[in-house]
Amino acid sequence: MNSREKKTVSNMIRIYCRAKHGQRNGFCDDCQQLEEYAHRRLERCPFGEKKPVCKKCPVHCYKPEYREKIKEIMRFSGPRMLIYHPLEAVKHIKESLF
């Protein structure tokens, strides 16, 4: 499993949790649960190292309630990744294009 994918999703959840839930260190309980769920899904991804970005993935492996929440988080945190994690954001954008 690609640890960069895990790092990216964790950073996106962290940005969201800090802005929306006021968490300065770590995550609130809900965001912690979502991060653990996302990491489990990534570990079980049938595409392994060749996993496309979530937006382009043909398999939607999240339960509906988690899928909606992660979409909300990605919409919010995606643009902010350029500020907080610019190199990671550029790599993710590059993968999204190809």
Side-chain angles (χ1 to χ4, degrees):
M1 176 52 245
N2 190 336
S3 62
R4 194 166 58 74
E5 288 279 340
K6 285 184 179 181
K7 183 179 175 186
T8 299
V9 77
S10 292
N11 285 333
M12 289 181 130
I13 295 169
R14 188 170 291 108
I15 290 168
Y16 180 87
C17 192
R18 184 175 189 161
K20 300 291 185 172
H21 304 143
Q23 291 296 115
R24 294 290 175 213
N25 297 316
F27 301 106
C28 68
D29 290 341
D30 288 342
C31 289
Q32 179 66 46
Q33 183 180 10
L34 178 62
E35 183 202 35
E36 291 168 3
Y37 179 81
H39 284 198
R40 284 194 308 271
R41 299 309 324 157
L42 286 168
E43 289 167 0
R44 292 181 176 97
C45 180
F47 297 104
E49 291 295 322
K50 297 183 186 222
K51 180 196 173 306
V53 294
C54 292
K55 190 173 185 177
K56 290 187 173 186
C57 190
V59 177
H60 300 297
C61 58
Y62 282 53
K63 291 179 183 177
E65 64 271 14
Y66 286 114
R67 187 169 182 219
E68 287 306 311
K69 189 64 178 176
I70 202 71
K71 282 170 63 175
E72 178 184 339
I73 288 169
M74 287 180 176
R75 268 188 240 113
F76 179 85
S77 299
R80 289 162 179 83
M81 287 287 288
L82 286 168
I83 296 166
Y84 296 105
H85 304 282
L87 293 176
E88 198 174 317
V90 169
K91 287 177 187 176
H92 189 72
I93 291 168
K94 180 182 163 198
E95 286 180 4
S96 298
L97 296 174
F98 301 105

XYZ file of all heavy atoms in Angstrom:
823
model
N 0.842 -1.192 0.000
C 0.000 0.000 0.000
C 0.871 1.233 0.000
O 1.898 1.278 0.647
C -0.909 -0.068 1.232
C -1.804 1.129 1.455
S -2.783 1.607 0.061
C -2.107 3.192 -0.294
N 0.436 2.198 -0.697
C 1.163 3.449 -0.844
C 0.992 4.310 0.407
O -0.089 4.816 0.686
C 0.647 4.180 -2.086
C 1.498 5.353 -2.461
O 2.196 5.921 -1.648
N 1.435 5.724 -3.716
N 2.069 4.487 1.148
C 1.995 5.284 2.376
C 1.741 6.758 2.072
O 1.214 7.488 2.907
C 3.267 5.115 3.202
O 4.386 5.576 2.500
N 2.086 7.207 0.862
C 1.820 8.595 0.487
C 0.314 8.861 0.417
O -0.157 9.931 0.790
C 2.496 8.928 -0.848
C 2.540 10.428 -1.106
C 3.476 10.791 -2.235
N 3.167 10.157 -3.491
C 2.134 10.502 -4.278
N 1.313 11.452 -3.916
N 1.932 9.892 -5.428
N -0.454 7.885 -0.041
C -1.916 8.032 -0.068
C -2.463 8.203 1.347
O -3.326 9.036 1.589
C -2.563 6.800 -0.716
C -2.365 6.709 -2.197
C -3.345 7.569 -2.969
O -4.397 7.948 -2.420
O -3.044 7.873 -4.120
N -1.947 7.399 2.266
C -2.383 7.509 3.664
C -2.020 8.873 4.232
O -2.819 9.503 4.923
C -1.744 6.415 4.517
C -2.334 5.051 4.322
C -1.679 4.081 5.278
C -2.244 2.700 5.145
N -1.624 1.756 6.084
N -0.814 9.327 3.931
C -0.361 10.629 4.425
C -1.238 11.748 3.866
O -1.633 12.661 4.591
C 1.100 10.838 4.026
C 1.695 12.112 4.533
C 3.153 12.224 4.122
C 3.725 13.559 4.516
N 5.080 13.743 4.009
N -1.570 11.649 2.585
C -2.398 12.672 1.948
C -3.779 12.739 2.592
O -4.251 13.821 2.955
C -2.525 12.415 0.441
O -1.226 12.468 -0.153
C -3.414 13.446 -0.234
N -4.425 11.588 2.750
C -5.763 11.598 3.336
C -5.713 12.071 4.790
O -6.584 12.819 5.235
C -6.474 10.235 3.174
C -5.980 9.185 4.143
C -7.974 10.391 3.315
N -4.687 11.684 5.529
C -4.552 12.147 6.914
C -4.379 13.654 6.970
O -4.986 14.324 7.815
C -3.357 11.467 7.594
O -3.606 10.100 7.767
N -3.557 14.202 6.089
C -3.354 15.652 6.065
C -4.634 16.392 5.702
O -4.928 17.440 6.266
C -2.222 16.025 5.116
C -0.869 15.704 5.692
O -0.685 15.668 6.908
N 0.106 15.458 4.839
N -5.406 15.839 4.767
C -6.667 16.482 4.391
C -7.651 16.471 5.559
O -8.313 17.477 5.831
C -7.274 15.794 3.173
C -6.504 16.051 1.907
S -7.282 15.236 0.514
C -7.356 16.614 -0.617
N -7.730 15.348 6.258
C -8.624 15.261 7.413
C -8.150 16.214 8.504
O -8.952 16.886 9.155
C -8.729 13.811 7.926
C -9.400 12.924 6.868
C -9.506 13.756 9.241
C -9.332 11.431 7.152
N -6.847 16.311 8.705
C -6.287 17.205 9.739
C -6.636 18.666 9.441
O -7.037 19.417 10.334
C -4.774 17.019 9.831
C -4.145 17.747 10.990
C -2.687 17.352 11.205
N -2.603 15.970 11.684
C -2.163 14.934 10.955
N -1.736 15.114 9.722
N -2.136 13.722 11.449
N -6.481 19.084 8.194
C -6.815 20.460 7.794
C -8.291 20.740 8.086
O -8.651 21.771 8.652
C -6.492 20.698 6.304
C -4.975 20.716 6.088
C -7.126 21.994 5.802
C -4.550 20.656 4.627
N -9.139 19.802 7.702
C -10.577 19.952 7.903
C -10.919 20.011 9.395
O -11.660 20.891 9.841
C -11.300 18.778 7.236
C -12.792 18.824 7.376
C -13.577 19.514 6.457
C -13.434 18.168 8.421
C -14.956 19.553 6.576
C -14.812 18.205 8.550
C -15.563 18.891 7.623
O -16.933 18.939 7.748
N -10.382 19.073 10.155
C -10.696 18.986 11.589
C -10.237 20.239 12.335
O -10.949 20.744 13.199
C -10.052 17.730 12.181
S -10.630 17.324 13.840
N -9.093 20.734 11.947
C -8.593 21.949 12.604
C -9.507 23.143 12.313
O -9.851 23.906 13.217
C -7.173 22.243 12.135
C -6.570 23.424 12.838
C -5.124 23.630 12.458
N -4.566 24.636 13.341
C -3.304 24.822 13.543
N -2.420 24.072 12.938
N -2.883 25.768 14.363
N -9.915 23.271 11.056
C -10.748 24.413 10.671
C -12.187 24.284 11.167
O -12.781 25.261 11.624
C -10.732 24.575 9.154
N -12.748 23.105 11.082
C -14.170 22.924 11.387
C -14.447 22.527 12.832
O -15.506 22.837 13.364
C -14.780 21.863 10.461
C -14.701 22.203 8.993
C -15.607 23.358 8.653
C -15.621 23.603 7.155
N -16.609 24.584 6.753
N -13.491 21.825 13.454
C -13.728 21.323 14.811
C -12.785 21.930 15.840
O -12.826 21.567 17.013
C -13.614 19.791 14.837
C -14.525 19.127 13.864
N -14.163 18.000 13.167
C -15.779 19.439 13.452
C -15.154 17.645 12.372
N -16.149 18.509 12.525
N -11.895 22.815 15.401
C -11.023 23.520 16.327
C -9.910 22.692 16.942
O -9.296 23.117 17.914
N -9.629 21.535 16.379
C -8.581 20.672 16.917
C -7.208 21.212 16.522
O -6.920 21.387 15.349
C -8.734 19.243 16.398
C -9.945 18.518 16.921
C -9.904 18.307 18.406
O -10.726 18.850 19.122
N -8.982 17.543 18.897
N -6.376 21.478 17.478
C -5.022 21.974 17.209
C -4.021 20.844 17.083
O -3.083 20.899 16.320
C -4.578 22.943 18.307
C -5.385 24.204 18.338
C -5.062 25.040 17.124
N -5.924 26.206 17.077
C -6.332 26.744 15.957
N -5.992 26.254 14.802
N -7.102 27.805 15.984
N -4.192 19.800 17.880
C -3.298 18.640 17.854
C -4.131 17.389 17.643
O -5.016 17.107 18.442
C -2.513 18.518 19.163
C -1.606 19.713 19.380
O -0.939 20.156 18.464
N -1.608 20.242 20.584
N -3.857 16.670 16.598
C -4.589 15.435 16.351
C -5.963 15.684 15.768
O -6.196 16.672 15.076
N -6.873 14.760 16.082
C -8.216 14.788 15.506
C -9.269 14.717 16.606
O -9.015 14.184 17.683
C -8.435 13.551 14.618
C -7.479 13.417 13.477
C -6.473 12.469 13.507
C -7.590 14.216 12.356
C -5.601 12.318 12.449
C -6.717 14.080 11.296
C -5.721 13.133 11.336
N -10.467 15.189 16.287
C -11.604 14.924 17.155
C -11.958 13.443 16.968
O -11.422 12.771 16.087
C -12.785 15.824 16.786
S -13.515 15.458 15.175
N -12.857 12.935 17.778
C -13.199 11.508 17.719
C -13.738 11.100 16.344
O -13.361 10.057 15.805
C -14.207 11.148 18.804
C -13.598 11.203 20.197
O -12.349 11.169 20.317
O -14.369 11.277 21.178
N -14.634 11.911 15.771
C -15.215 11.575 14.473
C -14.161 11.546 13.373
O -14.150 10.642 12.533
C -16.317 12.565 14.091
C -17.576 12.391 14.923
O -17.742 11.313 15.556
O -18.396 13.325 14.943
N -13.283 12.522 13.366
C -12.246 12.584 12.339
C -11.215 11.476 12.533
O -10.705 10.920 11.554
C -11.594 13.960 12.315
S -12.699 15.248 11.660
N -10.926 11.127 13.774
C -10.015 10.012 14.054
C -10.592 8.709 13.506
O -9.903 7.919 12.877
C -9.758 9.881 15.555
C -8.846 8.728 15.925
C -7.428 8.925 15.416
O -6.866 10.000 15.553
N -6.864 7.902 14.812
N -11.882 8.521 13.714
C -12.559 7.324 13.223
C -12.531 7.285 11.690
O -12.285 6.239 11.099
C -14.002 7.303 13.730
C -14.780 6.083 13.348
C -16.208 6.122 13.896
O -16.674 7.138 14.413
N -16.902 5.009 13.774
N -12.761 8.426 11.060
C -12.726 8.494 9.599
C -11.320 8.201 9.075
O -11.162 7.479 8.088
C -13.202 9.866 9.109
C -13.168 10.060 7.595
C -14.086 9.064 6.891
C -13.552 11.487 7.241
N -10.307 8.745 9.722
C -8.932 8.486 9.280
C -8.612 6.991 9.365
O -8.050 6.413 8.426
C -7.919 9.270 10.109
C -6.502 9.049 9.597
C -5.421 9.336 10.608
O -5.624 9.075 11.805
O -4.353 9.796 10.179
N -8.974 6.360 10.463
C -8.726 4.926 10.620
C -9.467 4.131 9.547
O -8.916 3.189 8.969
C -9.138 4.466 12.017
C -8.224 5.013 13.104
C -8.758 4.819 14.507
O -9.848 4.203 14.691
O -8.107 5.302 15.452
N -10.704 4.511 9.271
C -11.495 3.852 8.236
C -10.831 4.018 6.868
O -10.677 3.053 6.115
C -12.920 4.421 8.220
C -13.803 3.817 7.168
C -14.417 2.585 7.384
C -14.015 4.463 5.955
C -15.235 2.022 6.417
C -14.824 3.901 4.982
C -15.433 2.679 5.213
O -16.230 2.126 4.251
N -10.421 5.241 6.546
C -9.780 5.519 5.261
C -8.494 4.707 5.100
O -8.228 4.154 4.029
C -9.493 7.010 5.121
N -7.709 4.610 6.151
C -6.469 3.837 6.088
C -6.759 2.344 5.874
O -6.069 1.694 5.088
C -5.644 4.042 7.352
C -4.953 5.367 7.382
N -3.890 5.621 8.211
C -5.167 6.525 6.709
C -3.481 6.863 8.029
N -4.260 7.431 7.129
N -7.793 1.831 6.534
C -8.168 0.423 6.328
C -8.600 0.184 4.892
O -8.245 -0.822 4.282
C -9.293 0.017 7.283
C -8.841 -0.222 8.697
C -9.910 -0.940 9.534
N -11.218 -0.302 9.501
C -11.631 0.652 10.335
N -10.817 1.100 11.280
N -12.840 1.155 10.245
N -9.351 1.123 4.335
C -9.813 0.977 2.945
C -8.613 1.002 1.992
O -8.552 0.237 1.036
C -10.802 2.081 2.563
C -12.070 2.153 3.369
C -12.884 0.887 3.548
N -12.915 0.005 2.421
C -13.184 -1.311 2.492
N -13.468 -1.865 3.631
N -13.183 -2.043 1.422
N -7.664 1.897 2.249
C -6.468 1.974 1.402
C -5.644 0.691 1.484
O -5.104 0.221 0.476
C -5.619 3.182 1.791
C -6.163 4.535 1.361
C -5.407 5.658 2.056
C -6.089 4.692 -0.155
N -5.558 0.112 2.661
C -4.799 -1.133 2.832
C -5.428 -2.289 2.067
O -4.732 -3.193 1.633
C -4.694 -1.494 4.319
C -3.779 -0.569 5.082
C -3.900 -0.704 6.596
O -4.708 -1.538 7.072
O -3.197 0.042 7.291
N -6.725 -2.233 1.887
C -7.446 -3.316 1.206
C -7.736 -3.002 -0.259
O -8.459 -3.753 -0.918
C -8.749 -3.601 1.936
C -8.529 -4.202 3.310
C -9.862 -4.485 3.983
N -9.678 -5.148 5.256
C -9.660 -4.545 6.425
N -9.809 -3.238 6.498
N -9.492 -5.223 7.532
N -7.209 -1.933 -0.765
C -7.494 -1.518 -2.142
C -7.039 -2.596 -3.128
O -5.880 -3.021 -3.101
C -6.786 -0.197 -2.444
S -7.097 0.374 -4.132
N -7.936 -3.030 -4.014
C -7.560 -4.060 -4.989
C -6.544 -3.572 -6.023
O -5.899 -4.378 -6.681
C -8.883 -4.435 -5.658
C -9.785 -3.269 -5.439
C -9.337 -2.638 -4.138
N -6.378 -2.274 -6.158
C -5.444 -1.731 -7.135
C -4.027 -1.612 -6.598
O -3.086 -1.387 -7.351
C -5.917 -0.357 -7.632
C -7.230 -0.424 -8.356
C -8.385 -0.009 -7.728
C -7.306 -0.917 -9.643
C -9.604 -0.077 -8.373
C -8.517 -0.987 -10.300
C -9.676 -0.573 -9.664
N -3.876 -1.712 -5.285
C -2.548 -1.657 -4.666
C -1.801 -0.394 -5.021
O -2.328 0.709 -4.905
N -0.570 -0.547 -5.460
C 0.288 0.598 -5.800
C -0.213 1.355 -7.038
O 0.189 2.478 -7.276
C 1.729 0.140 -6.027
C 2.424 -0.338 -4.777
C 2.618 0.750 -3.742
O 2.900 1.908 -4.115
O 2.468 0.445 -2.541
N -1.060 0.739 -7.828
C -1.562 1.383 -9.056
C -2.917 2.044 -8.842
O -3.633 2.325 -9.795
C -1.638 0.357 -10.180
C -0.288 -0.197 -10.542
C -0.350 -1.155 -11.683
C 1.031 -1.753 -11.858
N 1.438 -1.874 -13.198
N -3.244 2.302 -7.588
C -4.520 2.913 -7.255
C -4.634 4.300 -7.883
O -3.756 5.125 -7.729
C -4.662 3.030 -5.735
C -5.973 3.669 -5.305
C -5.876 4.112 -3.860
C -7.081 4.898 -3.435
N -7.400 6.028 -4.280
N -5.739 4.555 -8.592
C -5.948 5.909 -9.101
C -6.416 6.827 -7.970
O -6.771 6.353 -6.888
C -7.058 5.724 -10.139
C -7.808 4.520 -9.680
C -6.792 3.634 -8.986
N -6.425 8.120 -8.216
C -6.975 9.035 -7.212
C -8.449 8.698 -7.036
O -9.101 8.173 -7.953
C -6.780 10.521 -7.612
C -5.308 10.882 -7.634
C -7.434 10.828 -8.929
N -8.976 8.973 -5.864
C -10.342 8.566 -5.530
C -11.363 9.033 -6.571
O -12.278 8.304 -6.923
C -10.726 9.094 -4.149
S -9.810 8.304 -2.818
N -11.192 10.245 -7.034
C -12.146 10.823 -7.981
C -12.232 10.001 -9.271
O -13.280 9.932 -9.893
C -11.730 12.263 -8.291
C -12.736 13.055 -9.061
C -12.288 14.499 -9.166
C -13.338 15.344 -9.830
N -12.960 16.748 -9.869
N -11.135 9.366 -9.662
C -11.097 8.592 -10.906
C -11.229 7.086 -10.683
O -11.198 6.317 -11.631
C -9.790 8.867 -11.641
C -9.691 10.255 -12.212
C -8.459 10.393 -13.055
C -8.463 11.733 -13.755
N -7.353 11.851 -14.684
N -11.390 6.657 -9.466
C -11.421 5.238 -9.151
C -12.752 4.619 -9.585
O -13.820 5.148 -9.265
C -11.198 5.016 -7.657
S -10.934 3.280 -7.258
N -12.710 3.482 -10.297
C -13.953 2.824 -10.710
C -14.648 2.076 -9.567
O -15.818 1.727 -9.674
C -13.496 1.852 -11.799
C -12.078 1.550 -11.465
C -11.527 2.810 -10.833
N -13.939 1.821 -8.475
C -14.497 1.107 -7.331
C -14.684 2.095 -6.180
O -13.736 2.738 -5.749
C -13.548 -0.033 -6.880
C -14.099 -0.727 -5.654
C -13.301 -1.011 -8.003
N -15.911 2.205 -5.706
C -16.181 3.079 -4.568
C -16.251 2.206 -3.324
O -17.257 1.572 -3.052
C -17.454 3.883 -4.786
C -17.369 4.751 -5.993
N -16.453 5.771 -6.097
C -18.039 4.730 -7.162
C -16.588 6.349 -7.278
N -17.533 5.737 -7.944
N -15.159 2.164 -2.599
C -15.006 1.204 -1.507
C -15.474 1.735 -0.159
O -15.503 0.988 0.810
C -13.549 0.747 -1.421
S -12.378 2.072 -1.166
N -15.864 2.991 -0.077
C -16.324 3.561 1.194
C -17.824 3.307 1.362
O -18.578 3.342 0.389
C -16.117 5.076 1.208
C -14.711 5.549 1.459
C -13.631 5.103 0.709
C -14.460 6.475 2.447
C -12.350 5.560 0.944
C -13.179 6.947 2.698
C -12.135 6.480 1.939
O -10.867 6.936 2.171
N -18.238 3.097 2.598
C -19.671 3.048 2.904
C -20.237 4.428 2.575
O -19.520 5.434 2.669
C -19.895 2.744 4.383
C -19.510 1.342 4.788
C -19.764 1.160 6.278
C -19.333 -0.203 6.728
N -19.498 -0.374 8.178
N -21.520 4.508 2.190
C -22.089 5.799 1.763
C -21.867 6.956 2.737
O -21.526 8.060 2.314
C -23.579 5.492 1.593
C -23.606 4.043 1.261
C -22.478 3.420 2.054
N -22.030 6.733 4.049
C -21.877 7.847 4.997
C -20.426 8.328 5.066
O -20.167 9.526 5.178
C -22.387 7.485 6.395
C -21.632 6.368 7.090
C -22.142 4.959 6.811
O -22.931 4.769 5.863
O -21.749 4.045 7.553
N -19.483 7.395 4.958
C -18.072 7.785 4.960
C -17.699 8.434 3.624
O -16.891 9.346 3.580
C -17.166 6.582 5.219
C -17.159 6.108 6.643
C -17.675 4.864 6.986
C -16.624 6.895 7.656
C -17.657 4.419 8.304
C -16.602 6.469 8.969
C -17.122 5.230 9.283
O -17.096 4.804 10.585
N -18.294 7.945 2.554
C -18.005 8.503 1.234
C -18.412 9.973 1.155
O -17.664 10.815 0.658
C -18.722 7.688 0.159
C -18.334 8.118 -1.228
C -18.832 7.134 -2.247
N -18.402 7.575 -3.557
C -19.130 7.488 -4.623
N -20.313 6.927 -4.581
N -18.683 7.923 -5.770
N -19.588 10.285 1.659
C -20.040 11.679 1.651
C -19.136 12.560 2.508
O -18.806 13.674 2.129
C -21.495 11.773 2.113
C -22.479 11.260 1.092
C -22.321 11.909 -0.283
O -22.254 13.151 -0.364
O -22.245 11.168 -1.274
N -18.741 12.055 3.657
C -17.891 12.837 4.564
C -16.520 13.071 3.945
O -16.000 14.190 3.994
C -17.762 12.116 5.911
C -17.094 12.951 6.958
C -17.934 14.171 7.269
C -17.317 15.009 8.338
N -18.072 16.231 8.577
N -15.915 12.046 3.336
C -14.586 12.216 2.764
C -14.652 13.141 1.547
O -13.727 13.921 1.311
C -13.909 10.855 2.452
C -12.385 11.019 2.373
C -14.426 10.236 1.180
C -11.687 11.273 3.661
N -15.735 13.100 0.794
C -15.895 14.036 -0.329
C -15.952 15.476 0.178
O -15.335 16.373 -0.395
C -17.152 13.695 -1.130
C -16.958 12.514 -2.058
C -18.247 12.017 -2.674
C -18.939 12.997 -3.556
N -20.130 12.432 -4.234
N -16.697 15.678 1.260
C -16.788 17.012 1.873
C -15.403 17.488 2.324
O -15.010 18.633 2.097
C -17.745 16.954 3.061
C -17.887 18.246 3.813
C -18.773 18.101 5.047
O -19.577 17.151 5.129
O -18.649 18.952 5.941
N -14.669 16.598 2.961
C -13.333 16.925 3.451
C -12.394 17.233 2.294
O -11.632 18.199 2.337
C -12.793 15.788 4.346
C -13.552 15.801 5.677
C -11.292 15.905 4.556
C -13.312 14.592 6.547
N -12.449 16.436 1.240
C -11.561 16.656 0.093
C -11.887 17.966 -0.616
O -10.984 18.678 -1.042
C -11.631 15.471 -0.867
C -10.940 14.253 -0.325
S -11.042 12.894 -1.501
C -10.053 11.676 -0.655
N -13.179 18.285 -0.730
C -13.563 19.564 -1.345
C -13.038 20.742 -0.531
O -12.574 21.737 -1.072
C -15.081 19.667 -1.466
C -15.605 19.168 -2.771
C -17.101 19.470 -2.912
N -17.779 18.184 -3.061
C -18.608 17.652 -2.174
N -18.943 18.282 -1.084
N -19.145 16.479 -2.393
N -13.124 20.629 0.777
C -12.664 21.700 1.659
C -11.141 21.770 1.699
O -10.546 22.841 1.562
C -13.218 21.489 3.078
C -12.757 22.537 4.053
C -13.430 23.740 4.155
C -11.647 22.333 4.856
C -13.006 24.721 5.047
C -11.211 23.294 5.745
C -11.896 24.500 5.838
N -10.498 20.638 1.912
C -9.057 20.608 2.159
C -8.209 20.644 0.901
O -7.060 21.084 0.956
C -8.692 19.356 2.964
O -9.343 19.365 4.196
N -8.754 20.178 -0.210
C -7.978 20.120 -1.449
C -7.276 21.429 -1.790
O -6.049 21.464 -1.938
N -8.016 22.528 -1.908
C -7.361 23.804 -2.221
C -6.384 24.260 -1.134
O -5.359 24.872 -1.426
C -8.528 24.795 -2.331
C -9.725 23.965 -2.595
C -9.470 22.650 -1.911
N -6.669 23.936 0.101
C -5.806 24.344 1.218
C -4.522 23.520 1.290
O -3.556 23.932 1.924
C -6.591 24.244 2.520
C -7.658 25.331 2.608
C -8.723 25.002 3.646
N -9.718 26.054 3.724
C -10.760 26.166 2.913
N -10.957 25.288 1.947
N -11.617 27.153 3.043
N -4.519 22.363 0.640
C -3.303 21.540 0.604
C -2.165 22.314 -0.062
O -1.006 22.132 0.285
C -3.554 20.232 -0.146
C -4.385 19.225 0.610
S -3.518 18.432 1.956
C -2.406 17.358 1.061
N -2.491 23.167 -1.024
C -1.454 23.972 -1.694
C -0.753 24.904 -0.710
O 0.418 25.226 -0.887
C -2.057 24.775 -2.842
C -2.415 23.950 -4.075
C -3.270 24.772 -5.028
C -1.170 23.446 -4.758
N -1.438 25.310 0.339
C -0.854 26.197 1.340
C -0.076 25.396 2.388
O 1.062 25.725 2.714
C -1.962 27.025 2.034
C -2.638 27.938 1.016
C -1.394 27.825 3.202
C -3.938 28.543 1.485
N -0.703 24.343 2.914
C -0.120 23.601 4.033
C 0.844 22.482 3.624
O 1.762 22.162 4.373
C -1.227 23.014 4.909
C -2.080 24.065 5.557
C -3.363 24.336 5.098
C -1.599 24.813 6.624
C -4.147 25.314 5.686
C -2.374 25.798 7.218
C -3.645 26.038 6.752
O -4.416 27.005 7.335
N 0.602 21.883 2.474
C 1.431 20.762 2.000
C 1.609 20.887 0.486
O 1.101 20.068 -0.284
C 0.771 19.428 2.348
C 0.470 19.264 3.793
N 1.444 18.941 4.716
C -0.680 19.404 4.503
C 0.897 18.881 5.915
N -0.390 19.167 5.808
N 2.325 21.915 0.022
C 2.386 22.202 -1.411
C 2.978 21.076 -2.265
O 2.435 20.786 -3.342
C 3.224 23.475 -1.499
C 3.913 23.598 -0.191
C 3.078 22.885 0.812
N 4.041 20.436 -1.832
C 4.633 19.369 -2.644
C 3.692 18.183 -2.774
O 3.528 17.619 -3.858
C 5.978 18.929 -2.058
C 7.093 19.974 -2.128
C 8.350 19.454 -1.429
C 7.397 20.341 -3.558
N 3.083 17.829 -1.676
C 2.117 16.733 -1.686
C 0.929 17.071 -2.593
O 0.448 16.223 -3.345
C 1.638 16.513 -0.250
C 0.999 15.195 0.004
C 0.692 15.011 1.478
O 1.544 15.356 2.330
O -0.400 14.529 1.770
N 0.474 18.315 -2.544
C -0.649 18.752 -3.366
C -0.305 18.685 -4.848
O -1.110 18.207 -5.658
C -1.064 20.172 -2.986
N 0.880 19.133 -5.207
C 1.298 19.109 -6.617
C 1.383 17.668 -7.121
O 0.935 17.363 -8.230
C 2.631 19.863 -6.809
C 3.199 19.628 -8.194
C 2.425 21.353 -6.548
N 1.922 16.774 -6.315
C 2.001 15.361 -6.708
C 0.607 14.790 -6.913
O 0.355 14.053 -7.862
C 2.752 14.556 -5.651
C 4.238 14.815 -5.637
C 4.908 14.038 -4.521
C 6.368 14.429 -4.389
N 7.019 13.751 -3.247
N -0.314 15.135 -6.024
C -1.685 14.640 -6.125
C -2.363 15.202 -7.382
O -3.055 14.461 -8.091
C -2.464 15.021 -4.864
C -3.802 14.387 -4.791
N -3.977 13.048 -4.544
C -5.047 14.905 -4.941
C -5.283 12.773 -4.545
N -5.941 13.885 -4.785
N -2.155 16.464 -7.667
C -2.724 17.080 -8.869
C -2.165 16.402 -10.117
O -2.902 16.094 -11.050
C -2.458 18.601 -8.888
C -3.280 19.277 -7.791
C -2.782 19.187 -10.259
C -2.882 20.730 -7.524
N -0.874 16.158 -10.110
C -0.232 15.489 -11.260
C -0.868 14.109 -11.496
O -1.186 13.761 -12.618
C 1.257 15.350 -11.003
C 2.009 14.697 -12.103
C 3.473 14.547 -11.750
C 4.116 13.521 -12.668
N 5.366 13.015 -12.146
N -1.075 13.350 -10.418
C -1.697 12.032 -10.546
C -3.130 12.152 -11.040
O -3.611 11.273 -11.754
C -1.673 11.299 -9.211
C -0.313 10.787 -8.833
C -0.315 10.065 -7.494
O -1.397 9.897 -6.894
O 0.776 9.690 -7.052
N -3.830 13.221 -10.662
C -5.205 13.417 -11.078
C -5.310 13.666 -12.574
O -6.326 13.334 -13.182
C -5.817 14.608 -10.346
O -5.844 14.379 -8.973
N -4.272 14.254 -13.142
C -4.308 14.603 -14.550
C -3.998 13.425 -15.471
O -4.391 13.414 -16.634
C -3.335 15.749 -14.829
C -3.656 17.062 -14.133
C -2.541 18.070 -14.382
C -4.993 17.608 -14.587
N -3.261 12.452 -14.979
C -2.821 11.355 -15.842
C -3.422 10.034 -15.474
O -3.874 9.621 -14.602
C -1.292 11.220 -15.825
C -0.625 12.477 -16.280
C -0.013 13.320 -15.373
C -0.619 12.835 -17.612
C 0.616 14.485 -15.784
C -0.006 13.996 -18.025
C 0.618 14.824 -17.110
